[in-house]
């Protein structure tokens, strides 16, 4: 077969008449070559398709692994964030509770303390009054007891009872401001003193 290259490149075409173009190629060899080429192309496409599918599987597996890793990371971050928020909320609640309750508790404790102090002062005042009433009620008994003790010590009768009574009264008056009395006597007189 002649090339049409010369026809296309030439600037002029000579008309020499009609001629028949004869091809001497055999159709079976061309057909076999086409089938061979088709098989090669099909195999190439099948290999290409298998490679594409295999690459897609690998990529899908990598995407799946990355997704699981991302999920795990997100879970860990969420857990840490939840712990942080929990701690912040606890601290904030503690501070708010402290700031609200502390002044109230101090005020309440102060009021209760003042009430206890007032009660104690009242009790002390009542005790002092009862002590003075007791001394007044028992003054005669105490005078008699002191005179009996003095007689026992002197082993004789005291002649001037008024002198002893004035000394006892002065001692009792001086002792009103003291918190304790210490009376020393013989064991024989202990029962009489307690009465």
């Amino acid at each position: 077969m002649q090339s049409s290259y010369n026809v296309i490149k030439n600037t002029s075409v000579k008309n020499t008449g009609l001629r028949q173009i004869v091809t001497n190629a055999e159709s079976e060899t061309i057909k076999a070559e086409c089938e061979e080429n088709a098989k090669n192309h099909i195999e190439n496409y099948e290999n290409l398709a298998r490679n594409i599918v295999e690459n897609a599987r690998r990529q899908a597996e990598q995407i799946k692994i990355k997704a699981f890793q991302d999920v795990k990371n997100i879970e860990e971050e969420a857990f840490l964030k939840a712990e942080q928020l929990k701690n912040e909320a606890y601290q904030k609640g503690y501070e708010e509770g402290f700031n609200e309750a502390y002044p109230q508790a101090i005020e309440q404790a102060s009021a209760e303390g003042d009430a206890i102090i007032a009660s104690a002062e009242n009790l002390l005042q009542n005790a002092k009054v009862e002590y003075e009433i007791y001394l007044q009620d028992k003054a005669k008994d105490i005078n008699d007891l002191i005179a009996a003790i003095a007689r026992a010590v002197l082993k004789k009768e005291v002649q001037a009872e008024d002198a002893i009574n004035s000394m006892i009264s002065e001692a009792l008056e001086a002792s009103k401001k003291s918190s304790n009395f210490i009376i020393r006597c013989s064991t024989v007189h202990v029962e009489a003193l307690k009465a």
Side-chain angles (χ1 to χ4, degrees):
M1 181 155 123
Q2 249 186 353
S3 169
S4 58
Y5 174 75
N6 288 335
V7 173
I8 295 173
K9 290 292 184 177
N10 284 335
T11 57
S12 65
V13 177
K14 292 182 192 175
N15 194 0
T16 56
L18 296 175
R19 281 195 199 177
Q20 187 176 6
I21 299 175
V22 178
T23 58
N24 293 334
E26 294 180 20
S27 66
E28 286 183 22
T29 55
I30 293 175
K31 197 176 192 183
E33 283 180 15
C34 285
E35 286 178 10
E36 184 74 25
N37 285 340
K39 282 183 184 179
N40 286 338
H41 286 301
I42 290 171
E43 285 178 12
N44 286 341
Y45 286 124
E46 286 176 354
N47 285 337
L48 183 62
R50 264 184 290 204
N51 287 339
I52 290 172
V53 168
E54 188 62 34
N55 285 338
R57 281 187 189 143
R58 275 192 235 120
Q59 287 178 349
E61 191 64 31
Q62 288 175 352
I63 289 171
K64 192 167 110 176
I65 290 170
K66 187 175 184 321
F68 282 128
Q69 187 64 35
D70 289 347
V71 166
K72 186 177 179 183
N73 290 341
I74 290 170
E75 283 178 348
E76 288 175 0
E77 287 176 12
F79 180 76
L80 291 175
K81 186 69 172 178
E83 280 294 317
Q84 180 183 5
L85 289 175
K86 177 182 164 187
N87 289 339
E88 288 174 3
Y90 175 81
Q91 187 65 28
K92 184 178 178 183
Y94 176 80
E95 288 173 1
E96 287 177 1
F98 181 81
N99 290 339
E100 289 177 13
Y102 184 75
Q104 291 174 355
I106 291 296
E107 186 177 314
Q108 183 180 2
S110 177
E112 288 176 5
D114 290 344
I116 290 171
I117 289 171
S119 175
E121 287 176 350
N122 189 23
L123 185 64
L124 180 63
Q125 189 64 29
N126 288 341
K128 283 181 180 180
V129 168
E130 286 182 26
Y131 173 71
E132 288 184 19
I133 291 172
Y134 176 78
L135 282 180
Q136 289 172 359
D137 289 346
K138 297 292 181 175
K140 175 138 178 44
D141 293 338
I142 292 173
N143 283 340
D144 292 342
L145 177 66
I146 292 174
I149 293 170
R151 280 187 210 116
V153 168
L154 297 176
K155 302 267 184 190
K156 61 179 181 174
E157 195 79 24
V158 177
Q159 298 298 323
E161 284 191 25
D162 288 339
I164 290 179
N165 284 342
S166 66
M167 288 187 339
I168 292 171
S169 295
E170 287 174 14
L172 282 175
E173 196 61 40
S175 69
K176 280 185 180 179
K177 293 180 182 166
S178 68
S179 61
N180 292 326
F181 280 110
I182 299 176
I183 300 175
R184 296 183 185 196
C185 67
S186 168
T187 56
V188 174
H189 301 291
V190 170
E191 290 301 321
L193 286 174
K194 285 185 179 178

